[in-house]
Amino acid sequence: MNAPERTQAFVLDEDSGEVKIVYSADTKVANAGTFRLNKEDHTVGNLLRMQLLRDPNVRFAGYYHPHPLVYFLDMKIQTNNSTVAPVEVLSSAIEDLANETDHLITQFQDAMESWKRENDHAEMATQF
Amino acid sequence: HSLEYRKKHVAIGKHNTSYGSGLGDAPFVDSKNSAMDLKKWKNQFQLNFQQTKDPNTLVFDMIGIDAALANAIRRIVIADVPTVAIHRCYILNNTSVMQDEVLAHRLGLLPLCFNPDLFEFPPDETVVTMIDSIPEPEENLNLVFRLQVTCERDSSGKLQNQTVYAKHLKWVPIGDQKKRFKDNPPKFVYDKIIITKLGIGQTIDLTVHCAKGIGRDHAKWSPVATATYRILPSILFKKPLTQTQAKELVDICPLKVFEIEEGVVVAKNPRKCTVCRECIRKDGWDDLIALGRVRDHFIFSIESTGSIPPTQIFLTALEILQNKIDRLSNNLAAET
């Protein structure tokens, strides 16, 4: 009864000026900032956080999803020194993830081709 | 456990687990190198298909990826891959014992064999209250099915249509759908699904509109019965076993993971292991056997409901993940 509409979980409310990412630099900690990712959840949040933790320039990376019915993430990033901004580090993490996903797609398609060749009776449903 | 072991495995002891993956492989990445040496990763990444008895289930191994990526893919497969399912039911007559809403709920859950790429997502709808007539379906957004069943006695006196099956729903092509889907008419994956049962004289007369949606909105649109992954168990021997111990070990494992080859006991089938820990339960056996999981070896199982082939589900999930990441990247560029 009080639950918000299900579609609000994944559709950006552009009418009320909702943007995907909002950045706010941290006033108290050096080289740190908070990114608010709207209409996202653990699917992307955990993935980004893990990728950020692999970066040697990152001193701190964490995210939280405050409540299941509130549809945004807060991601806090702190870098080691002032030469690298949190934004740069986040965008390179996103780029690495994009490359990984591209490679996964080609690998899967190759595996599918070689499987089909080895088993020419289609045991696996691949067609509609 | 040595650092080498910890880098590659999560250790499972008699009472607890250690070196779990809260930080993933981040503590073990050599921070002198670049954050993500893509080429090195590509060389050691593997993807292998496995045999399954059911053509709608896909089991494959992914070696070399991170737990967060595996979970992201699993979540997308369950919640974000679109399907087409029965969405709105317009009930003209229902004198059966099953209430309208229960019937509509059951109809929504029937898996529909139809390629969702052929349709677009319906526009956001306002809450519908009272309507005078069935709204016009659109040929790019909706499929229409009709269900007209009455339980009655036929000429020979036998009762007909006591059970309403999925096959009683007949497709009604609208617009140019008859031509477009001539070779592949939309149908239900399983004709024999029981929708409801009728007593004599009871009748159901309804029209349904199907629409495209995602599992996150309602579970009826989820393309999988479930999508799971498990992590390959690893069984290593810390010390050599005596002959009696070896025989005991082979017998004690309920899944026949161990075998004796040339007098030495080996973990022949680690894939079958469910990590029940029977092999380390006895006193002192914890020192003989190192039980754990290989950190980056994921055994995925995607069980499709039949609406979309499981290989297609996985590929669509990866595309959706790409889109999500690209959208973030574009918005980040716009923001800064």
Side-chain angles (χ1 to χ4, degrees):
Chain A
M1 195 172 66
N2 285 326
E5 270 281 326
R6 260 345 222 120
T7 49
Q8 278 185 27
F10 45 89
V11 177
L12 260 185
D13 191 10
E14 273 148 355
D15 299 331
S16 61
E18 212 181 10
V19 197
K20 192 76 185 171
I21 306 185
V22 181
Y23 175 65
S24 44
D26 198 319
T27 49
K28 297 187 193 141
V29 185
N31 311 321
T34 307
F35 293 86
R36 170 161 294 199
L37 296 146
N38 281 312
K39 307 299 177 188
E40 288 295 348
D41 66 348
H42 303 286
T43 308
V44 156
N46 196 26
L47 196 52
L48 266 182
R49 178 195 65 100
M50 290 292 269
Q51 191 58 36
L52 283 165
L53 283 175
R54 291 198 192 119
D55 191 337
N57 288 321
V58 165
R59 174 177 288 175
F60 177 88
Y63 82 101
Y64 57 86
H65 184 98
H67 189 274
L69 292 176
V70 178
Y71 305 117
F72 64 81
L73 289 180
D74 266 343
M75 184 162 292
K76 288 194 191 289
I77 306 176
Q78 184 188 11
T79 52
N80 272 330
N81 44 44
S82 48
T83 52
V84 185
V87 189
E88 284 172 43
V89 142
L90 182 63
S91 83
S92 72
I94 292 177
E95 206 181 299
D96 285 334
L97 283 177
N99 290 333
E100 253 191 81
T101 323
D102 277 335
H103 185 61
L104 266 182
I105 293 184
T106 43
Q107 276 283 61
F108 188 77
Q109 285 169 332
D110 289 342
M112 231 167 73
E113 293 304 310
S114 60
W115 176 265
K116 269 197 241 178
R117 268 182 280 124
E118 283 167 28
N119 308 278
D120 27 39
H121 51 291
E123 267 174 31
M124 204 170 41
T126 47
Q127 305 288 302
F128 282 103
Chain B
H1 288 113
S2 67
L3 186 63
E4 279 305 310
Y5 184 82
R6 273 192 271 163
K7 261 195 199 181
K8 216 175 159 242
H9 300 90
V10 171
I12 297 172
K14 209 153 75 161
H15 302 292
N16 61 349
T17 337
S18 337
Y19 324 126
S21 66
L23 294 170
D25 61 1
F28 307 114
V29 165
D30 187 355
S31 54
K32 287 209 195 70
N33 297 329
S34 70
M36 183 69 203
D37 196 356
L38 190 69
K39 195 136 170 269
K40 196 162 67 164
W41 174 74
K42 277 190 191 178
N43 284 336
Q44 54 95 22
F45 173 75
Q46 288 176 52
L47 206 158
N48 309 315
F49 281 34
Q50 308 293 330
Q51 282 275 9
T52 44
K53 292 187 215 128
D54 174 21
N56 277 331
T57 304
L58 178 65
V59 177
F60 62 96
D61 284 12
M62 280 216 277
I63 308 173
I65 62 169
D66 185 59
L69 184 55
N71 197 31
I73 294 172
R74 183 195 64 93
R75 285 174 69 101
I76 292 178
V77 165
I78 293 177
D80 283 312
V81 176
T83 343
V84 172
I86 290 179
H87 187 40
R88 293 280 184 237
C89 300
Y90 302 101
I91 302 179
L92 298 165
N93 191 7
N94 175 20
T95 47
S96 75
V97 177
M98 186 172 274
Q99 297 92 335
D100 287 349
E101 59 267 23
V102 179
L103 183 57
H105 180 244
R106 287 179 71 79
L107 287 172
L109 293 170
L110 292 171
L112 191 59
C113 194
F114 185 74
N115 185 357
D117 293 331
L118 297 169
F119 272 8
E120 293 159 28
F121 284 102
D124 282 342
E125 40 188 19
T126 50
V127 177
V128 177
T129 48
M130 294 289 286
I131 49 172
D132 299 333
S133 57
I134 299 175
E136 258 323 295
E138 297 185 42
E139 56 196 24
N140 271 346
L141 302 175
N142 301 111
L143 288 176
V144 180
F145 284 84
R146 194 109 164 80
L147 177 63
Q148 285 171 295
V149 196
T150 309
C151 179
E152 55 201 356
R153 269 188 217 286
D154 65 8
S155 46
S156 66
K158 211 164 60 125
L159 265 182
Q160 267 202 331
N161 294 336
Q162 272 189 302
T163 315
V164 180
Y165 292 102
K167 65 173 192 268
H168 287 133
L169 280 146
K170 303 274 180 270
W171 178 46
V172 175
I174 48 169
D176 65 353
Q177 281 181 351
K178 190 163 188 173
K179 205 171 49 176
R180 268 212 292 169
F181 308 141
K182 191 164 46 118
D183 304 318
N184 228 346
K187 58 178 173 58
F188 292 97
V189 179
Y190 304 102
D191 278 336
K192 288 262 188 75
I193 294 181
I194 297 178
I195 298 177
T196 187
K197 301 208 174 182
L198 297 174
I200 187 167
Q202 292 175 349
T203 179
I204 295 181
D205 184 358
L206 51 81
T207 309
V208 291
H209 289 182
C210 309
K212 181 171 169 175
I214 59 175
R216 200 182 288 272
D217 196 349
H218 191 287
K220 72 189 178 197
W221 277 303
S222 182
V224 288
T226 191
T228 55
Y229 65 81
R230 57 190 189 98
I231 309 181
L232 184 74
S234 99
I235 306 139
L236 301 171
F237 293 100
K238 293 194 217 176
K239 293 188 225 153
L241 269 67
T242 63
Q243 285 289 15
T244 35
Q245 280 178 330
K247 276 209 196 75
E248 227 187 309
L249 183 60
V250 173
D251 289 333
I252 215 171
C253 177
L255 288 151
K256 312 250 183 302
V257 171
F258 299 99
E259 273 176 25
I260 299 188
E261 280 181 357
E262 293 166 12
V264 180
V265 69
V266 285
K268 195 75 197 291
N269 310 307
R271 292 182 77 95
K272 285 200 207 164
C273 175
T274 55
V275 197
C276 67
R277 302 187 225 184
E278 272 304 304
C279 49
I280 54 175
R281 211 170 287 282
K282 251 182 97 162
D283 275 333
W285 282 53
D286 215 351
D287 299 321
L288 296 171
I289 300 174
L291 192 62
R293 289 196 191 265
V294 182
R295 233 182 245 287
D296 59 358
H297 186 141
F298 295 90
I299 304 170
F300 267 82
S301 162
I302 297 182
E303 300 168 27
S304 163
T305 51
S307 47
I308 313 178
T311 44
Q312 189 59 44
I313 295 177
F314 187 71
L315 280 171
T316 314
L318 287 179
E319 278 169 35
I320 293 173
L321 181 59
Q322 258 186 335
N323 290 339
K324 279 193 194 253
I325 296 174
D326 285 340
R327 211 153 62 129
L328 281 180
S329 151
N330 293 337
N331 277 295
L332 191 63
E335 160 80 4
T336 52

